[in-house]
Amino acid sequence: MNAFLQQEAVIDATLPWLEDAQKLGEQPAADWVKALRHTGAEAFAHTGFPHPKQEGWQYTQLRQLTDGDFHYALEAPAFDVNALPQPLLENSARIVLVNGKYRPELSDAPEGVIVMSLMDASVQVEGIEEHLVTVGDLGKAPFKALNAAYTHDGVVVTVKAGAEVTQPFEVLFYNVGDTDKAPALYPRCLYWLGKNSSLTVIERHTGTGAYFTNIYAGIALEPSARLKCYKLEEESATACHFSYTTLQQQKDSSFEGFSYATGGKLSRQEYRNLLIDSGISSKLTGAYLLKDQQCHDFTVLTDHFEPDGKSVQHFKGVVDDQARSVFQGKIHVRRAAQKTDGNQLNHALLLSEKAEASFKPELEIYADDVKCAHGAASGQIDDEALFYLQSRGIPQAEARSLLIESFLNTVLAEVSFSPVREVYEERIRAWLRH
Amino acid sequence: MPIAPETLLDKKYEAGFVTEIESDRAPKGLSEDIVRLISAKKDEPEWLLAQRLKAYKHWLDMPEPRWAKVSFPPIDYQDAYYYAAPKTATKPKSLDEVDPKLLETYKKLGIPLREQEMLAGVAVDAVFDSVSVATTFREKLADAGVIFCSISEAVRKYPELVQKYLGSVVPYTDNKHACLNAAVFTDGTFVYIPEGVRCPMELSTYFRINEAKTGQFERTLIVAEKGSYVSYLEGCTAPMRDENQLHAAVVELIAMEDAEIKYSTVQNWYPGDENGKGGIYNFVTKRGICKGARSKISWTQVETGSAITWKYPSCILQGDDSVGEFYSVALTNNYQQADTGTKMIHIGKNTKSRIISKGISAGHSNNTYRGLVRISGRAENARNFTQCDSLLIGHECGAHTVPYIENKNMSAMLEHEASTSKIGEDQLFYCRQRGIGEEGAVALIVNGFCREVLQQMPMEFAVEAQKLVAISLEGAVG
Amino acid sequence: MTMLKIENLHAEVGGREVLKGINLTVKAGEVHAVMGPNGSGKSTLSYVLAGRPGYEVTKGKVTFLGQDLLALAPEGRAAAGMFLAFQYPVEIPGVSTTMFLKTALNAVRKARGEKEFSPVDFLKLQKEKMAQLGMDAEMLKRGVNVGFSGGEKKRNEALQMAMLAPKLAILDETDSGLDIDALKVVAEGVNALRSKDRAFLVITHYQRLLKHIKPDIVHVLADGKIRKTGGPELALELEDKGYAEYTGDAALRAGDKSI
């Protein structure tokens, strides 16, 4: 409980949410999968959805979700294959998940990448449970627990040691909603990169109609593995998106993540980035563009265990209409993690009188020889700059867009793979025209 | 770099002595009877007793606040005394009548109460355990219309003022520690600055816990009327004891239109020994309200003492164009724990706040800055600037920063910066090459690190605060 | 009178041997210049003499005014009368130059068993020395070296030297980052301190500083050893010919012969 902020609203945790999990009982599954479902269900039954006074949940009100009626379906929904969006990049290979279920017939993986449905992988890939039975306490992560209770859908992506995959790899999560009987989706995914391998992933989340997707993703990077992971969260306007990613990095590995978030009415992306050995580089950056009554939450923990790690958490966003943005970042530097260089930055631009931004940029530091800094700022578009542009003949709306673009450019610059950066830039321009 | 956990040096806690003085104590433990007894000892009016009892009943069911990053065993509230007063201090009196032992005690602490010996320009209210034993310069202040007296005296002499403002900024329901204070507060200071008056001297209260197993629950109330100004300073010490003693104070500040209150604290409660035994639990609720337009409240604190510090001096910026400031140095060594910061609640238009926090952790200590900046939808053009810097000395300690930033107004601008660092080896070598020993060099560099805050202290106390920072660091290097 | 005697001094930095047997004797009243190419061990020599942590003496002996210098802590060496003017003076934010100087001066005086300065005497002395160096009093209020230009930093070093009045002053690349005017001022400051009781060790890459601070004896340091010792004419020779003679294999062989 956090009375430090003294908020009052209360939500009752009700539990019809677990009922559909029983449908999975009749399916054959590995023992560890059954155990995981059981543990998840128990943990969620105990906690329910997080209370708004609970630390980490003060700023994201779940009422939009908890008031809804969402159901899990074992069967794949009917949908028109032609409705699938085109791949983002011409030269990429792509796999497709529809409502969290892997569709091999629509999928094609790049050379060097092995893709399997979660249930296939659960019996065929050795050592997989280590990365999927997750780390940490389910009692403190209700969404992760709820996902665990439904362990069935999702994919496992593996790259063999030494493989350098050059073709960009798109992973499309296409979600088909329904207003009458809105689906609840619980995919569980794993990206597992062997020693000294490399991969560039473009992860897209999009769909139609109302649904609730609650994703758990594991990312395991073995020594010297390098992953670039570019996310586009563009869920339908009536969807709720929750994702929980555990990133485990081993010695000298590097991670470059970028998350672009504009979709959904209520979303939260949570990351636990564990730098469990030395010499690791871990960069997670992103941009959010919110309007109407959207609420979006980025919650990022970067945990340095060992020396010589470098981490970046850099997020920027614009918030319009009555939208609300939340950024909760934390850099945790353990005693052994000397020479850590941790950096955290968050800037939000409010575009309307009713827009809101909340931040909690935290540092928790137990090593003395470190360089850690964070900064957060919130404000509006600089009037003087706006006037300056207008005085040069640029119409106001365009001048505003220009200033917003330039504001976001500094964080886009963190995207080292330029074809994706260009996609993001186009997306931002399109959003600004809304 | 040869910085290691503390070795043989004893931390010099110069205020750690006990005054042998006969004391009038209430029976041990807390109950409705004790609350009645305290009220009766002070000849209080019925309304105040009723308030105390209401708070006591509420307290019984109230959970302890849990947000702070501190840990300690559950407090046994029945194993403490809630009222202790030197027998010779039962009635207010002139300085000539004050027990010489008490005068001697304060003199030893560097707070001479005889006016001719005092720092010119500083008036003192001396609170010893549960009672105020002396207040200096009263006549001079009275000439200016300033009321400066113990809160007990204020209850008798100015009941309408006390009743109007007591609990108006920190209600008894605020948190468990503040609620306890509302039930059992014994003494403290009352300051009233009338309209248009610039208080002619610095006011200060010196708090001393002397009795064993006794909690101190003081209450401070400062009201600055329209266009007035006051600068107030409090200092605190206690004897060295193996047990933990509770200090749960409440401070309320009220600034009307164009008024300014500057509130400074030098907190040097006994911090416990080098193994973390003993020390004061300093659980304090301090809050000010800038009620009127263009009013200003400025908190400055130098926190070097206490086993545990839990305090968040805050400002409610209600009046348009009002200003809130928080300047803090928190230094922890050995096994001390500090969780301190502020809340700046922006309600009025064009309100401004500034937060400068410097945390220094040494030994096995943990030091947390926790702060809230909230901009309400009405707070057009609100501005906040926050800077939190942490310094770690040694590798057994922790430094943490937990800011909460909430902006509901697009025209507001907020900036928050934080950094964590250590003392540079090159800085240390540079100082040593110039002949300054290692401890002296660390003290010098740390004082430099804190300068922005220390220079906010009233002149008379800035030097003391600097020395305190140096002394508190002793044993942190070796 | 012998002030500093260095005998067969070997030292390592980060496990690498940088000083490989230095022999050097400095007498009171003398000004020695130690010249050498980059990476020859010049700065290491100054740090080793001042006792910087991380600079490990593996062999040899240093005697300073009859005392075993290497047994002293850095502050002990300062108290004994050794001063190092840093090549890169360090910034100490929040500590004013005055405060720093006062703390240093009183610490040194205390260690020498002298009375601490009264604030008035201190300010008088400071004012006098500032005037000699043409320094602006405003500088004293700023944090030590914080936001100082290269010239200001070096002047500040000269000021500290003047205040602390050492027996032996080591000037480590004092000319680096200085324009000619600043160089002159700093050199004048140094020259003003020259006396029969005081010695200087001027470490420099270039000869230009030595035009303003005239050395009595010039040493060439290369690859961790003194390769040649001579009078002021040696500095001029180096200006003409550079260090080519002292670097590379041929030079090393030649150097070995000369010792």
Side-chain angles (χ1 to χ4, degrees):
Chain A
M1 299 263 278
N2 189 330
F4 186 72
L5 305 183
Q6 304 210 338
Q7 288 195 338
E8 277 138 37
V10 176
I11 293 176
D12 281 327
T14 47
L15 302 173
W17 291 86
L18 287 168
E19 273 170 22
D20 299 321
Q22 288 167 17
K23 295 177 190 169
L24 296 171
E26 298 132 30
Q27 303 286 314
D31 285 348
W32 69 262
V33 171
K34 287 182 184 159
L36 178 59
R37 286 177 189 155
H38 185 76
T39 318
E42 249 185 9
F44 186 78
H46 188 68
T47 61
F49 284 110
H51 192 276
K53 279 191 179 175
Q54 201 172 311
E55 194 62 47
W57 291 93
Q58 294 98 338
Y59 299 122
T60 293
Q61 310 288 331
L62 296 175
R63 218 173 282 124
Q64 295 196 74
L65 171 68
T66 50
D67 286 353
D69 185 18
F70 298 96
H71 289 279
Y72 176 78
L74 205 50
E75 312 74 34
F79 85 105
D80 177 8
V81 175
N82 297 320
L84 281 182
Q86 289 301 307
L88 272 185
L89 303 180
E90 273 177 18
N91 63 341
S92 63
R94 171 163 100 172
I95 63 166
V96 177
L97 289 88
V98 178
N99 283 14
K101 294 171 207 307
Y102 175 46
R103 302 292 287 262
E105 78 282 10
L106 301 171
S107 300
D108 171 29
E111 206 179 313
V113 177
I114 302 159
V115 181
M116 269 183 230
S117 76
L118 175 71
M119 294 315 283
D120 286 349
S122 71
V123 289
Q124 288 174 29
V125 181
E126 207 171 311
I128 192 176
E129 60 264 42
E130 200 185 304
H131 298 301
L132 279 170
V133 177
T134 113
V135 196
D137 182 5
L138 286 179
K140 285 186 185 149
F143 281 88
K144 190 164 97 173
L146 183 60
N147 174 291
Y150 284 90
T151 302
H152 184 265
D153 300 335
V155 281
V156 170
V157 173
T158 49
V159 181
K160 285 226 165 65
E164 306 246 353
V165 181
T166 48
Q167 191 181 17
F169 176 40
E170 179 175 320
V171 179
L172 174 65
F173 289 82
Y174 186 73
N175 302 319
V176 184
D178 192 328
T179 344
D180 297 335
K181 209 178 163 215
L185 318 173
Y186 301 106
R188 178 162 281 246
C189 304
L190 172 65
Y191 299 98
W192 187 359
L193 271 66
K195 242 181 180 167
N196 206 23
S197 65
S198 71
L199 180 68
T200 301
V201 172
I202 300 155
E203 194 183 289
R204 295 172 73 184
H205 300 265
T206 183
T208 59
Y211 53 88
F212 159 53
T213 180
N214 175 14
I215 306 159
Y216 176 80
I219 301 177
L221 303 183
E222 296 201 354
S224 302
R226 301 173 307 282
L227 176 67
K228 293 180 182 177
C229 186
Y230 303 120
K231 207 173 211 172
L232 291 97
E233 193 217 290
E234 298 175 309
E235 304 282 15
S236 94
T238 47
C240 298
H241 173 107
F242 286 77
S243 66
Y244 190 108
T245 304
T246 304
L247 166 66
Q248 274 206 75
Q249 288 189 252
Q250 301 202 38
K251 199 171 166 52
D252 300 325
S253 62
S254 96
F255 174 78
E256 176 189 318
F258 189 93
S259 183
Y260 169 80
T262 56
K265 59 175 179 179
L266 173 66
S267 331
R268 167 156 160 143
Q269 292 183 25
E270 186 164 349
Y271 295 85
R272 261 165 64 94
N273 300 342
L274 311 177
L275 284 61
I276 57 181
D277 210 328
S278 59
I280 291 167
S281 159
S282 190
K283 207 158 99 174
L284 180 61
T285 57
Y288 47 91
L289 297 94
L290 309 175
K291 58 187 165 102
D292 302 327
Q293 295 185 324
Q294 282 182 295
C295 173
H296 190 281
D297 177 340
F298 272 114
T299 295
V300 183
L301 164 73
T302 302
D303 197 343
H304 289 262
F305 287 71
E306 296 291 333
D308 303 315
K310 190 172 166 23
S311 70
V312 175
Q313 297 175 5
H314 188 175
F315 287 81
K316 276 194 168 187
V318 291
V319 190
D320 204 350
D321 303 328
Q322 288 153 277
R324 290 153 38 110
S325 74
V326 179
F327 171 79
Q328 307 186 97
K330 179 168 177 176
I331 299 178
H332 182 194
V333 180
R334 298 182 186 239
R335 279 216 204 293
Q338 294 292 4
K339 308 272 180 207
T340 289
D341 182 352
N343 213 300
Q344 195 184 48
L345 260 181
N346 191 263
H347 289 196
L349 210 51
L350 300 187
L351 303 182
S352 108
E353 277 169 22
K354 299 268 181 200
E356 291 180 27
S358 303
F359 314 99
K360 194 180 140 204
E362 244 182 289
L363 299 175
E364 184 171 348
I365 295 175
Y366 297 95
D368 61 337
D369 192 7
V370 300
K371 245 173 50 196
C372 281
H374 68 201
S378 174
Q380 62 181 341
I381 292 177
D382 183 351
D383 280 340
E384 271 179 49
L386 194 64
F387 174 70
Y388 182 76
L389 292 183
Q390 284 179 268
S391 73
R392 294 293 176 269
I394 303 169
Q396 195 192 28
E398 209 173 310
R400 262 170 71 97
S401 295
L402 220 57
L403 289 172
I404 294 169
E405 263 182 69
S406 70
F407 166 75
L408 294 172
N409 272 342
T410 56
V411 68
L412 280 178
E414 306 276 2
V415 177
S416 67
F417 186 58
S418 57
V420 173
R421 191 175 58 236
E422 283 157 23
V423 168
Y424 285 144
E425 283 165 1
E426 275 166 38
R427 290 290 212 268
I428 288 168
R429 263 175 243 130
W431 188 90
L432 288 170
R433 283 193 295 269
H434 75 259
Chain B
M1 186 166 75
I3 282 191
E6 81 294 320
T7 45
L8 301 166
L9 274 165
D10 281 326
K11 185 159 166 173
K12 277 188 213 145
Y13 186 73
E14 289 174 345
F17 62 89
V18 180
T19 305
E20 293 300 335
I21 194 159
E22 234 188 307
S23 178
D24 172 19
R25 276 202 307 207
K28 209 183 212 181
L30 183 56
S31 65
E32 199 174 309
D33 287 346
I34 292 287
V35 175
R36 287 180 187 278
L37 181 95
I38 292 169
S39 189
K41 288 251 181 219
K42 302 201 159 279
D43 276 331
E44 282 178 359
E46 200 49 43
W47 64 265
L48 190 50
L49 175 62
Q51 271 193 16
R52 284 177 181 275
L53 290 172
K54 204 153 97 184
Y56 172 70
K57 283 184 184 120
H58 190 76
W59 177 82
L60 289 171
D61 298 326
M62 219 175 170
E64 302 236 358
R66 295 242 177 81
W67 62 75
K69 196 177 172 59
V70 295
S71 62
F72 54 93
I75 298 170
D76 182 356
Y77 288 99
Q78 298 307 334
D79 190 32
Y81 296 96
Y82 289 82
Y83 182 85
K87 276 206 171 137
T88 49
T90 43
K91 287 268 148 54
K93 54 190 63 194
S94 82
L95 277 170
D96 295 338
E97 296 168 86
V98 173
D99 189 326
K101 271 187 184 168
L102 292 172
L103 293 179
E104 190 53 34
T105 299
Y106 283 92
K107 200 171 171 182
K108 236 167 123 179
L109 293 167
I111 318 287
L113 295 176
R114 293 196 181 278
E115 292 179 13
Q116 63 274 25
E117 298 167 3
M118 290 205 47
L119 285 169
V122 184
V124 177
D125 181 18
V127 176
F128 192 85
D129 289 330
S130 302
V131 292
S132 167
V133 294
T135 312
T136 63
F137 288 111
R138 299 166 55 128
E139 289 74 23
K140 187 172 175 193
L141 290 166
D143 287 346
V146 171
I147 302 172
F148 177 52
C149 64
S150 77
I151 197 112
S152 311
E153 191 181 336
V155 168
R156 286 190 302 271
K157 286 195 180 159
Y158 316 101
E160 63 299 329
L161 280 175
V162 176
Q163 196 168 3
K164 184 171 174 191
Y165 293 113
L166 193 75
S168 69
V169 190
V170 179
Y172 68 92
T173 50
D174 194 80
N175 67 72
K176 181 134 186 153
H177 308 312
C179 190
L180 178 62
N181 178 286
V184 303
F185 75 87
T186 43
D187 221 329
T189 307
F190 176 71
V191 176
Y192 178 83
I193 316 288
E195 187 172 331
V197 171
R198 193 177 167 87
C199 186
M201 58 206 316
E202 299 273 344
L203 304 183
S204 76
T205 302
Y206 196 86
F207 295 101
R208 174 76 177 166
I209 297 178
N210 187 60
E211 273 294 313
K213 287 204 173 277
T214 300
Q216 191 175 60
F217 306 94
E218 87 267 5
R219 188 104 197 173
T220 302
L221 177 60
I222 301 179
V223 181
E225 291 286 7
K226 199 168 163 182
S228 67
Y229 169 86
V230 63
S231 168
Y232 175 91
L233 181 123
E234 59 173 4
C236 350
T237 58
M240 293 158 75
R241 293 188 200 282
D242 287 349
E243 74 212 30
N244 294 111
Q245 285 175 279
L246 180 62
H247 171 253
V250 171
V251 175
E252 296 175 284
L253 312 182
I254 294 128
M256 302 302 188
E257 218 172 282
D258 293 305
E260 180 177 347
I261 302 174
K262 188 171 163 56
Y263 194 107
S264 313
T265 302
V266 176
Q267 187 265 101
N268 185 28
W269 293 118
Y270 178 54
D273 68 9
E274 66 278 12
N275 298 313
K277 200 165 173 55
I280 301 292
Y281 289 168
N282 187 37
F283 299 158
V284 176
T285 307
K286 292 183 171 178
R287 195 173 301 151
I289 182 163
C290 286
K291 252 191 150 81
R294 296 169 303 280
S295 54
K296 178 174 175 183
I297 289 178
S298 179
W299 298 99
T300 303
Q301 59 175 28
V302 175
E303 305 277 320
T304 58
S306 297
I308 301 177
T309 296
W310 176 103
K311 65 180 276 202
Y312 315 93
S314 302
C315 299
I316 300 168
L317 304 171
Q318 189 179 19
D320 291 348
D321 301 287
S322 60
V323 176
E325 292 176 339
F326 175 73
Y327 296 95
S328 171
V329 168
L331 191 156
T332 53
N333 196 358
N334 298 318
Y335 287 86
Q336 282 178 275
Q337 308 175 61
D339 193 296
T340 183
T342 184
K343 299 182 195 185
M344 293 290 175
I345 313 289
H346 291 253
I347 298 168
K349 292 189 177 105
N350 305 315
T351 45
K352 287 186 183 57
S353 63
R354 184 178 173 83
I355 300 170
I356 307 287
S357 162
K358 307 280 178 180
I360 302 108
S361 328
H364 292 81
S365 70
N366 269 297
N367 199 325
T368 304
Y369 166 81
R370 186 180 306 276
L372 167 67
V373 177
R374 175 176 287 162
I375 312 286
S376 77
R378 276 179 42 206
E380 293 287 324
N381 291 313
R383 295 285 180 271
N384 163 262
F385 176 77
T386 302
Q387 170 90 43
C388 302
D389 296 316
S390 309
L391 196 65
L392 289 121
I393 301 175
H395 47 266
E396 302 291 335
C397 52
H400 319 298
T401 315
V402 191
Y404 297 80
I405 304 158
E406 306 172 4
N407 183 6
K408 297 191 181 180
N409 190 299
M410 69 181 284
S411 62
M413 267 168 63
L414 296 91
E415 270 179 83
H416 172 101
E417 286 168 23
S419 74
T420 300
S421 56
K422 63 167 190 168
I423 292 175
E425 288 168 33
D426 52 347
Q427 289 178 329
L428 214 48
F429 175 61
Y430 190 68
C431 293
R432 294 179 75 189
Q433 207 301 306
R434 296 298 182 256
I436 305 167
E438 197 170 3
E439 285 211 340
V442 168
L444 188 72
I445 295 167
V446 169
N447 264 310
F449 173 77
C450 301
R451 183 178 178 176
E452 255 182 295
V453 174
L454 294 178
Q455 68 190 10
Q456 295 295 327
M457 297 290 290
M459 269 275 249
E460 292 86 343
F461 301 95
V463 179
E464 282 308 306
Q466 275 184 23
K467 279 189 198 151
L468 200 54
V469 166
I471 289 169
S472 303
L473 276 168
E474 279 184 14
V477 290
Chain C
M1 185 192 73
T2 298
M3 181 169 281
L4 178 75
K5 190 165 189 202
I6 304 175
E7 295 165 87
N8 192 28
L9 182 67
H10 290 250
E12 288 182 3
V13 185
R16 196 173 64 89
E17 183 166 60
V18 181
L19 300 185
K20 302 174 180 177
I22 304 260
N23 290 291
L24 187 68
T25 302
V26 180
K27 293 205 175 86
E30 290 178 347
V31 175
H32 287 237
V34 175
M35 301 185 69
N38 290 330
S40 58
K42 298 191 301 284
S43 285
T44 301
L45 177 61
S46 67
Y47 285 145
V48 166
L49 293 176
R52 181 168 196 148
Y55 288 72
E56 204 190 331
V57 174
T58 50
K59 216 194 272 179
K61 202 173 143 191
V62 182
T63 315
F64 179 58
L65 294 167
Q67 272 184 292
D68 176 5
L69 183 77
L70 301 178
L72 298 175
E75 56 270 32
R77 299 180 195 201
M82 176 175 287
F83 180 91
L84 170 63
F86 283 57
Q87 183 179 2
Y88 303 108
V90 178
E91 296 186 0
I92 309 176
V95 179
S96 71
T97 302
T98 299
M99 170 84 173
F100 179 71
L101 270 171
K102 197 156 80 185
T103 310
L105 194 58
N106 282 332
V108 166
R109 290 179 71 90
K110 207 172 147 194
R112 290 174 185 163
E114 295 165 8
K115 237 180 93 208
E116 290 192 6
F117 264 117
S118 77
V120 176
D121 290 344
F122 171 81
L123 289 175
K124 253 194 214 156
L125 181 69
Q126 181 173 264
K127 203 170 163 191
E128 179 197 319
K129 301 293 178 192
M130 296 273 293
Q132 284 172 8
L133 288 160
M135 287 169 74
D136 185 1
E138 187 269 337
M139 231 177 88
L140 295 172
K141 295 182 198 148
R142 289 193 265 156
V144 176
N145 294 321
V146 177
F148 284 22
S149 69
E152 283 175 327
K153 281 185 183 170
K154 295 297 165 77
R155 271 181 218 213
N156 191 13
E157 294 293 285
L159 173 67
Q160 292 178 36
M161 179 161 61
M163 297 283 288
L164 291 169
K167 298 266 177 20
L168 172 70
I170 305 166
L171 277 57
D172 186 6
E173 305 269 4
T174 291
D175 51 333
S176 72
L178 283 194
D179 61 42
I180 188 68
D181 294 332
L183 185 70
K184 275 185 190 157
V185 174
V186 172
E188 274 165 28
V190 171
N191 289 329
L193 289 174
R194 287 180 77 154
S195 82
K196 64 177 177 24
D197 308 318
R198 186 172 285 140
F200 289 87
L201 199 58
V202 181
I203 290 175
T204 182
H205 184 100
Y206 302 104
Q207 198 266 340
R208 68 173 192 148
L209 179 65
L210 303 180
K211 278 185 194 152
H212 304 281
I213 304 174
K214 296 259 188 290
D216 303 307
I217 298 161
V218 176
H219 309 272
V220 181
L221 181 68
D223 193 34
K225 273 189 177 178
I226 305 266
R227 303 290 168 183
K228 196 169 181 181
T229 297
E233 71 287 349
L234 182 54
L236 296 169
E237 186 189 316
L238 286 169
E239 185 170 53
D240 283 347
K241 297 186 185 165
Y243 292 105
E245 192 187 324
Y246 303 96
T247 52
D249 290 345
L252 291 181
R253 276 197 301 279
D256 285 340
K257 259 181 256 161
S258 74
I259 286 173

